[in-house]
Amino acid sequence: EPAENVPASALRKIAERTRGNPLLLVELVRGLKRDGAVKRGSKGNYLLATEEIDKLPDLPMVAWIATREIEALPSDLAAHARIAALLDSDISDRELEGVIALGESEGRNFETQLDATVGLRRLCDAGILVKHRTGRYSFRYGVLRDATYNMVAPDKRKEVHEVAYRYYRGASMPDEARLPRLAFHAGRAGLTEEAATLYIGLAEKARERHAYLEAAQLYSTARTHLQPSDDRRLALVARGAGTMFFRLSRYEKALEELTNARARAQRLGDVEAELESVFALATVLDFLDDFQRSKALIGEAAAIAGADPSPLTRAQLALGRGRSLYRIDGPEPALPVLAEASRMAATLGDAGYET
């Protein structure tokens, strides 16, 4: 069965990896489906697990095509292609030159003697890379880059990522371009603490931009670099991911994440974080038409908040009560409560925006 309500941002991401090539697009989608990226929802419909689309499914045909193309190159140019694949989805000659120079200064052997710019131009001439108007280079297809990346032995990948991390740590470029690259190389180099901190920061920025798919993927990546005992940051990541999955209409996944976030907040004794998770859970359940459970959670939130809740919590409680009244008893008893929630939220500025 086909997946329903696939976010446009997810479709763009899949298309970008193949640049619309029908053969590669079919292979990529088949690989994602085979690896479980299309899941059945609680209502019997099928949904795309958006957190899965950045993973690299095993694509034998694409790997075969990539191997033929790369192995047909002269050895030094093939090595140049492999290093380019390790750096990022798009690179500049300055960045490649900087990483190679730093590696050589540390006695690393990257198996290419080509000048960075000359090598990139030759790879364009060979049809492996394309040069964009910005002056940056990328592989002709994202899946070609993925396959070329996988040609490199794991220990060599780690070595290049370590050098690239040190390069981008001090690179002179805008943070919006530098930090995603720094996070990527930190993670692939095994620098888990640095990677976790960077990915959480990137996820929070994406959330503020309302880039829900990007934020969900960044939160999910951050979690892979956190220790199981790091309840505080794992709670933050689960709460952030849950909120993003809700925005993406992945309601069951949102419930899973937010329930996890609440449990971790309870272990920490963090009342504010638990309340945030409970209010979010109540909203998700409302969207799933589970009005009684949603109402029960608002009752739990009132008990957690105690006798003297903050102004924001009072507004959120009023919203939850008004929403439950509207769903269960109709608009007449709900309107005064919802109007009061709106009045309270209006005095809170940005903090009360979604209340």
Side-chain angles (χ1 to χ4, degrees), residues 141-285:
Y141 306 115
V143 289
L144 175 58
R145 182 230 172 189
D146 298 341
T148 306
Y149 183 101
N150 285 331
M151 292 178 190
V152 183
D155 57 342
K156 177 59 69 173
R157 288 183 217 162
K158 186 171 184 291
E159 180 183 10
V160 174
H161 287 306
E162 288 170 349
V163 175
Y165 171 78
R166 287 192 289 277
Y167 169 78
Y168 283 110
R169 189 172 55 189
S172 178
M173 56 194 301
D175 277 353
E176 59 265 26
R178 185 179 67 88
L179 293 179
R181 291 167 170 80
L182 191 64
F184 171 73
H185 292 296
R188 297 300 175 95
L191 304 171
T192 55
E193 177 59 32
E194 293 87 343
T197 300
L198 287 161
Y199 276 118
I200 289 172
L202 290 168
E204 296 284 89
K205 286 184 172 65
R207 178 182 59 80
E208 291 167 4
R209 298 196 313 271
H210 304 285
Y212 304 135
L213 175 61
E214 180 184 350
Q217 291 172 326
L218 288 166
Y219 281 123
S220 297
T221 303
R223 176 162 38 216
T224 66
H225 299 294
L226 290 169
Q227 297 298 317
S229 59
D230 193 347
D231 270 332
R232 189 166 300 281
R233 288 196 293 179
L234 284 168
L236 183 154
V237 163
R239 190 167 63 251
T243 303
M244 295 304 98
F245 284 124
F246 168 68
R247 302 291 189 200
L248 293 165
S249 302
R250 294 281 313 287
Y251 301 130
E252 288 84 4
K253 186 66 177 176
L255 284 177
E256 176 189 323
E257 294 282 6
L258 292 167
T259 300
N260 177 13
R262 183 186 184 185
R264 292 185 183 278
Q266 287 175 323
R267 284 202 291 272
L268 292 165
D270 188 335
V271 171
E272 184 177 338
E274 184 182 1
L275 279 171
E276 190 173 342
S277 298
V278 172
F279 285 129
L281 280 165
T283 301
V284 176
L285 288 169

Side-chain angles (χ1 to χ4, degrees), residues 114-142:
L114 293 175
D115 172 82
T117 302
V118 171
L120 291 172
R121 288 176 181 168
R122 286 180 59 188
L123 286 169
C124 285
D125 292 341
I128 303 297
L129 302 184
V130 293
K131 186 176 183 179
H132 303 283
R133 293 179 181 177
T134 59
R136 300 184 70 82
Y137 298 82
S138 67
F139 276 76
R140 187 171 81 250
Y141 306 115

